[in-house]
Amino acid sequence: MKHPENDELYKGLKVNKGVADVPTVNPYLQKRIQRKNYTPAEYVEGILKGNITILSQAVTLIESARMEHQQVAQEIIEKCLPHAGKSVRIGITGVPGAGKSTSIDAFGIHLLEQGRKLAVLAIDPSSERSKGSILGDKTRMEDLSREKNAFIRPSPSAGSLGGVARKTRETIVLCEAAGFDTIFVETVGVGQSETAVHSMVDFFLLIQLAGTGDELQGIKRGIMEMADGIIINKADGDNIDKANLAAAQFRNALHLFPPTDSGWIPKVLTYSGYYKLRINEIWDMVDEYMTFTKANGFFEWKRKEQSKYWMYESINDTLKDVFYHNPLIESRLKSTEMKVLNNELSSFMAAKEIIDLFLQNISGGERGGS
Ligand code: GDP
């Protein structure tokens, strides 16, 4: 080819060698676009091999509201169930600022050093409203997020606490099948969500602070009653004495509670998540609890009770869903509600009317269909 460089006219000019163009599409995105649609069996195979990418994608299916995703997710869960159940499940709660993320980071590194594999999940029923979950966020657990044996997943966002909790419980199954032998379920210490976490963990850890004046910090009695261990964080520097004092107050308060079903006497410890002080004592406590409850049969009993609880939760959820999405019910609810507001009908009668209508509708529907 004749090149201008060689032309008499352009003598002295030099053509430089070109460089490759930068990609116009972000290669990361390209990879995502090419993401394979796995069959349920392929998902399960990947999960059992401990493939984190496939595990994450399967969790995304669990979290999806789309019916077709839910069906695949349920199939994956069914197939993973025989491989699940072999982990230690720990619930961790505390008010914002108590040091949950700092502590989980420190606990996690401690456990990884012992050769364990850790999944950190979260239940945050407010994530829908705040448009994004804070709990279980990787950026909060800097050290842990760099570890290949740690899997961190923020709270699923769904309308109801029940929905969020169910998804987290299903995610536990997949994580266990993927070989994670320790599962943390984090929640924020403000009430309802603790009950949900309590219904899916073996050990419930309450993080508290000292030195705020009101040592019991308005923590609901119910939450304290659920705790198998209360740990007072930030027991470092000038705060050590205050932490010890708070620990004594918590021990006294616990004495007033009735004995636990497990026969375990909840312990109160002080530690520092930030300076990583006495973290090992906390894990000795958890190990001691496991040995104790496995020996007296409580561990097995509690897991069975939890399975039963979740069966009924599922039935309740499904019934509610079918009921409120029934077109006839949808069309009649508002007018019946108006009658109650106008004192034309009592609440009880209104409910009965609507439920009778539903029952007639579904039995009529069945006859029609057969
Ligand atoms: P979370 O909202 O419960 O997750 O709490 P964070 O882990 O974000 O901690 C809240 C604040 O407390 C941060 O500024 C931490 O650095 C600090 N903090 C956490 N743990 C400790 C600790 O053990 N000692 C001290 N002195 N500060 C801590």
Side-chain angles (χ1 to χ4, degrees), residues 298-365:
F298 181 79
F299 182 88
E300 262 302 298
W301 177 84
K302 188 174 176 187
R303 286 229 169 154
K304 286 196 170 129
E305 282 296 303
Q306 290 176 337
S307 297
K308 202 167 82 182
Y309 170 88
W310 282 98
M311 181 185 105
Y312 286 106
E313 277 293 297
S314 263
I315 293 177
N316 293 345
D317 275 359
T318 311
L319 282 180
K320 255 197 213 162
D321 214 44
V322 171
F323 178 81
Y324 285 108
H325 286 103
N326 180 300
L328 186 65
I329 298 301
E330 273 183 333
S331 71
R332 286 287 278 279
L333 264 181
K334 277 284 161 216
S335 55
T336 311
E337 187 187 298
M338 277 316 284
K339 284 186 195 163
V340 174
L341 293 177
N342 294 333
N343 285 329
E344 291 164 28
L345 206 58
S346 73
S347 312
F348 176 76
M349 281 310 288
K352 187 173 176 333
E353 236 178 49
I354 288 283
I355 288 173
D356 283 348
L357 188 70
F358 176 71
L359 293 177
Q360 279 162 18
N361 181 249
I362 54 168
S363 60

Side-chain angles (χ1 to χ4, degrees), residues 95-102 140 233-234 236 272-274:
V95 294
K100 290 181 296 303
S101 48
T102 312
R140 292 169 63 233
N233 190 19
K234 310 193 188 182
D236 46 55
S272 166
Y274 189 83

Side-chain angles (χ1 to χ4, degrees), residues 221 225 253-261 264 266:
R221 189 193 151 95
E225 248 171 307
L254 283 176
H255 274 309
L256 304 175
F257 288 170
T260 57
D261 292 341
W264 167 260

